Amino acid sequence: FLSVARDTFQRVEGIDIVVAFDLSTSMAAADFEPRNRLHVAKEVLKDFVSRRTTDRIGLVVFARDAYTQCPLTLDTGILRALVDQLRFGVIEDGTAIGNALATAVNRLRESDAKSKAIVLLTDGDNNAGQVSPLEAADMARTLGVRVFPILVGTDGPIHSSPLIAEG
């Protein structure tokens, strides 16, 4: 794809990545004392974004439902600023992992990148939403999108099942 930067065009060949970020209240658990899961996940994500200068990255946030916070972008500064603003209570509580993955897959549907991935940052089990995590993983597999689940936390409500979808 082409990137426009200060009146010049540059060809960028990177990965298209959508991060699905859990904003459920269980992310308030302070098992990284004195920090909670949300704080630690935000810091790790901002560091990750800073190092991915040739990849387009988008952000989907979720709790009881999922929403696109940022479409795919090369602008790491704006994406880090949006991550800084993430907080609880904006979305009704719950953990709709399937909806989050489906929303992230939808963001990648029109991508022409050679490699597409979803990074799922969550601390718990799916307990909300209309799409099951396995249905969403199948959608990802069909489109050749790899899903990388990252569990956040050291104890508490962490229950996981493998969701790797390889294309």
Side-chain angles (χ1 to χ4, degrees), residues 15-79:
I15 301 170
D16 278 355
I17 303 167
V18 176
V19 176
F21 196 100
D22 187 347
L23 289 178
S24 64
T25 56
S26 61
M27 291 286 284
D31 48 358
F32 295 102
E33 288 193 31
R35 303 295 187 182
N36 64 25
R37 295 173 183 175
L38 177 66
H39 176 85
V40 171
K42 285 168 53 172
E43 292 303 310
V44 169
L45 179 54
K46 288 187 303 185
D47 180 59
F48 173 79
V49 166
S50 294
R51 291 183 282 116
R52 308 302 297 203
T53 57
T54 62
D55 299 328
R56 292 192 310 170
I57 303 176
L59 180 62
V60 167
V61 294
F62 70 98
R64 180 156 297 282
D65 206 348
Y67 303 93
T68 299
Q69 186 75 21
C70 183
L72 291 167
T73 183
L74 286 166
D75 189 338
T76 59
I78 192 71
L79 190 54

Side-chain angles (χ1 to χ4, degrees), residues 73-135:
T73 183
L74 286 166
D75 189 338
T76 59
I78 192 71
L79 190 54
R80 285 191 321 270
L82 288 169
V83 169
D84 271 335
Q85 295 172 17
L86 296 179
R87 58 185 165 71
F88 301 114
V90 177
I91 306 169
E92 186 179 346
D93 200 29
T95 306
I97 292 172
N99 284 24
L101 290 175
T103 302
V105 166
N106 197 42
R107 294 277 63 164
L108 292 166
R109 185 175 305 282
E110 301 298 320
S111 168
D112 59 357
K114 289 182 182 177
S115 186
K116 298 173 266 197
I118 296 169
V119 176
L120 171 67
L121 290 168
T122 186
D123 72 341
D125 276 339
N126 185 71
N127 62 19
Q130 299 76 35
V131 180
S132 80
L134 291 177
E135 287 174 304

